[in-house]
């Protein structure tokens, strides 16, 4: 076991820091029982995100990455832990102060169909933030909406239409326009291209990159797609069963993964730079988030697991400068 | 396609449903009658003529006369105005209350939801017709009282409907997005959730108008609804019941009008339900 420093998010320059964040959801144990059990969606996660950078959150479905995204901009409240945005403790914000803060953090959703109100015109969808914050109304709102829609690759005429008149990719552009309308500092992109055709995915990813260069906002980019994460991220956090398994700069993490879980993930994605160096096939399923295994969450499927992996939970420790992994063996 | 096209689509599907069209024609016919009574009868509905008591239908009095010699057609035509407006106003009140209660319960959830929905359960415990009867007996019958009472005893179904819709809509991404934009609770409820519940509400409203007309007729028939001499289909029927052995026309025509109108609203309501969302068909 290494005795290196445990990961501590750097709060000084960071735009967003999460320290020991926990989030559980109540579920009924079974249809007939009144007993309530709790799904541990996010189980002690610490992360930080620098202004203007992209942090990729990758993991299997159900690992808690989307919950992380919603926690980060306080669409959900954590059970415990601290979330700081621009140095402010998000949990302390309420009422008008929180509403004001919402201008600085936005979200792009996975499903371009359910994310747009079918009964609203596009100009009212993208201009909602301007309207509710009293920044633009009436003609001014319409003019600004036209410019914004052109910026995301749609025509100005799109503003008078309704969402159902657009394709999935176009609808995602509308969702992006809404997210950037208030010039936020942080955008949570929750699987923004997963529902799109591969050809459209590239267009949307390039649009997101272009917007980041132009406006300098940070992305918390949630995806299960390793290629997408590699393409957009500066840093990557690999999540498994509610915990961060590995964290580090994108290129290094992808070229030399250290955690067994990351290595098995990458070996399952051969399109990354030709043939994979190793071929690891995991057996079993992702553990139940209701009753996660003791010790290391990954030990039930890990090819390096030893007995004490099921007894002692590894901390996220520095394994190389700037690189962290939660494993006893690296 | 434009925004209007969703509406046009629905209308097109509706027009292909012959039963719904029949319902709409019936409703339209009685609406025109209520709005332009002079075109349907030149008689004064309240003019008593003791020389022509209980005349059978004739060229002069198409539907005959009643026990005071009043023209039945004229009374029915003016009664349509009363019966339909009671139906509309009562159901509007019911929709208004149901909407607000359903939105609040569904959106806020938790304790507010529990309190409001238990209140709905309590309201539903009363046999509504007897509740209406006793309240009317208490505050006295008048058209306005009838409208208000039918309204405030008929909103529970709408409240449940709107609550259920709100519960599912508030989890949708576009509502979460509105919250992320900084929209307040009122804006989310009325701008984002409410417009998306309108289709089922329209169906409930159409069916509800039929129910309200029926309740008004029943009340008037029992003599505690719209008071004579103001004509309503229900109280014409009452006058008919005393003379049913010699004057069948006095009972048949108002009864038929109530039956056909209620049927029309039901057919249209079901037609709208199928047209706004073909997936709901037969539910």
């Amino acid at each position: 076991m290494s005795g290196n420093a445990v990961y501590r998010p750097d709060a000084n320059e960071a735009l967003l820091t999460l320290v020991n964040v926990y989030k559980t959801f109540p579920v009924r144990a079974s249809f007939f029982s009144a007993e309530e059990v709790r799904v541990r969606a996010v189980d002690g996660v610490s992360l930080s995100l620098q202004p203007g950078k992209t942090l990729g959150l990758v993991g299997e479905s159900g690992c808690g990455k989307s919950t992380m995204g919603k926690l980060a901009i306080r669409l959900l409240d954590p059970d415990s832990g601290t979330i700081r945005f621009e140095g402010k403790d998000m949990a302390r914000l309420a009422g008008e102060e929180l509403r004001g803060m919402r201008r600085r953090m936005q979200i792009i959703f996975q499903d371009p169909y359910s994310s747009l109100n079918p009964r609203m015109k596009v100009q009212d969808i993208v201009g909602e933030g301007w309207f509710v914050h009293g920044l633009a109304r009436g003609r001014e709102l319409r003019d600004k909406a036209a410019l914004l829609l052109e910026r995301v690759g749609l025509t100005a005429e799109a503003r008078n239409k309704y969402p159902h008149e657009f394709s999935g990719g176009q609808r995602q552009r509308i969702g992006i326009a809404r997210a950037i309308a208030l010039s936020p500092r942080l955008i949570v992109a929750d699987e923004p291209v997963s529902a799109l055709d591969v050809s459209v995915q590239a267009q949307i990813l390039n649009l997101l990159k272009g917007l980041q260069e132009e406006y300098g906002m940070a992305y918390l980019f949630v995806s299960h797609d390793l290629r997408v994460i590699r393409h957009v991220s500066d840093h990557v956090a690999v999540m498994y069963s509610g915990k961060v398994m590995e964290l580090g700069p994108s290129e290094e993490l992808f070229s030399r993964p250290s955690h067994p879980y990351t290595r098995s993930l990458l070996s399952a994605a051969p399109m990354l730079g030709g043939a994979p160096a190793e071929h690891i096939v995991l057996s079993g399923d992702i553990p139940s988030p209701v009753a996660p295994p003791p010790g290391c969450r990954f030990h039930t499927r890990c090819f390096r697991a030893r007995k004490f992996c099921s007894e002692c939970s590894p901390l996220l420790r520095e394994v190389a400068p700037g690189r962290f992994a939660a494993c006893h063996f690296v | 396609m434009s925004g209007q096209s969703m509406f046009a689509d629905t209308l097109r599907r509706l027009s292909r449903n012959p039963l719904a069209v029949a319902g709409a024609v019936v409703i339209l016919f009685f609406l025109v009658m209520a709005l332009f009574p002079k075109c349907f009868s030149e008689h004064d509905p309240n003019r008593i003529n003791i020389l022509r008591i209980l005349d059978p239908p004739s060229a002069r009095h198409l539907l005959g006369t009643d026990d005071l010699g009043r023209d039945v057609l004229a009374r029915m035509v003016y009664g349509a105005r009363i019966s339909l407006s009671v139906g509309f106003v009562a159901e509007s009140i019911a929709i208004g209350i149901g909407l607000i209660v359903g939105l609040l319960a569904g959106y806020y959830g938790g304790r507010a939801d529990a309190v409001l929905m238990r209140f709905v359960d309590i309201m539903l415990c009363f046999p509504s017709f007897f509740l209406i009867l006793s309240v009317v007996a208490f505050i006295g019958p008048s058209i306005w009282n009838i409208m208000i009472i039918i309204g405030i005893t008929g909103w529970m179904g709408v409240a449940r409907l709107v609550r259920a819709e709100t519960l599912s809509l508030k989890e949708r991404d576009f509502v979460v997005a509105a919250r992320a934009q900084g929209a307040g609770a009122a804006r989310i409820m009325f701008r984002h959730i409410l417009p998306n519940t309108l289709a089922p509400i329209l169906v409930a409203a159409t069916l509800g108008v039929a129910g309200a007309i029926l309740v008004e007729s029943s009340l008037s028939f029992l003599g505690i609804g719209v008071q004579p001499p103001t004509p309503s289909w229900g109280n014409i029927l009452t006058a008919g019941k005393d003379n049913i052995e010699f004057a069948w026309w006095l009972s048949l025509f108002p009864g038929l009008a109530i039956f056909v109108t209620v049927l029309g609203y039901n057919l249209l309501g079901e037609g709208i339900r199928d047209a706004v969302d073909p997936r709901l068909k037969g539910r």
Side-chain angles (χ1 to χ4, degrees), chain A residues 65-316:
Chain A
K65 52 192 193 302
S66 285
T67 305
M68 282 288 301
K70 294 215 166 95
L71 285 167
I73 59 171
R74 217 186 146 190
L75 288 173
L76 291 171
D77 288 318
D79 296 347
S80 67
T82 317
I83 298 169
R84 285 179 180 278
F85 179 79
E86 294 181 328
K88 288 198 190 72
D89 186 348
M90 291 294 293
R92 287 173 199 276
L93 295 180
E96 282 307 303
E97 217 182 342
L98 176 63
R99 258 169 37 84
M101 206 60 160
R102 297 240 178 259
R103 286 171 59 175
R104 312 184 59 74
M105 45 176 79
Q106 284 299 316
I107 183 165
I108 300 167
F109 294 94
Q110 172 175 10
D111 180 359
Y113 289 88
S114 81
S115 64
L116 306 178
N117 187 340
R119 307 272 171 188
M120 278 169 85
K121 282 186 183 178
V122 168
Q123 63 187 14
D124 295 321
I125 291 172
V126 301
E128 171 118 45
W130 299 330
F131 186 87
V132 298
H133 293 290
L135 301 174
R137 293 198 174 169
R139 173 186 288 274
E140 196 192 350
L141 186 144
R142 288 194 293 276
D143 292 345
K144 286 180 75 170
L147 288 176
L148 184 63
L149 290 169
E150 283 173 350
R151 177 60 194 88
V152 297
L154 296 166
T155 60
E157 288 74 49
R159 65 186 177 174
N160 281 317
K161 297 183 177 172
Y162 287 83
H164 72 267
E165 299 170 55
F166 297 91
S167 69
Q170 288 173 321
R171 293 173 67 123
Q172 203 56 304
R173 289 177 191 272
I174 297 169
I176 292 168
R178 170 175 62 193
I180 64 170
L182 290 166
S183 311
R185 303 282 293 133
L186 167 67
I187 290 181
V188 172
D190 186 359
E191 304 256 18
V193 296
S194 307
L196 306 176
D197 291 342
V198 176
S199 57
V200 182
Q201 283 190 357
Q203 296 170 13
I204 296 294
L205 290 175
N206 289 335
L207 171 64
L208 287 171
K209 274 202 150 175
L211 291 169
Q212 187 173 41
E213 279 160 21
E214 192 172 334
Y215 300 109
M217 70 283 244
Y219 288 136
L220 181 61
F221 201 102
V222 176
S223 180
H224 64 272
D225 190 328
L226 293 163
R227 288 171 311 151
V228 168
I229 286 286
R230 183 177 202 174
H231 182 66
V232 299
S233 303
D234 298 302
H235 280 73
V236 173
V238 180
M239 283 186 74
Y240 183 80
S241 185
K243 282 185 177 293
V244 174
M245 294 284 129
E246 181 164 2
L247 174 67
S250 179
E251 269 321 303
E252 289 181 44
L253 189 141
F254 276 101
S255 52
R256 281 176 286 110
S258 55
H259 194 285
Y261 178 60
T262 317
R263 282 166 58 191
S264 59
L265 267 189
L266 294 189
S267 86
M271 65 287 282
L272 292 172
E278 49 188 350
H279 189 61
I280 306 163
V281 178
L282 293 183
S283 59
D285 287 323
I286 192 163
S288 157
V290 174
C296 176
R297 289 292 165 82
F298 189 54
H299 83 261
T300 52
R301 301 169 74 189
C302 182
F303 57 92
R304 293 195 62 177
R306 296 291 177 272
K307 186 164 177 291
F308 69 89
C309 288
S310 63
E311 291 156 1
C312 182
S313 183
L315 296 167
L316 192 61

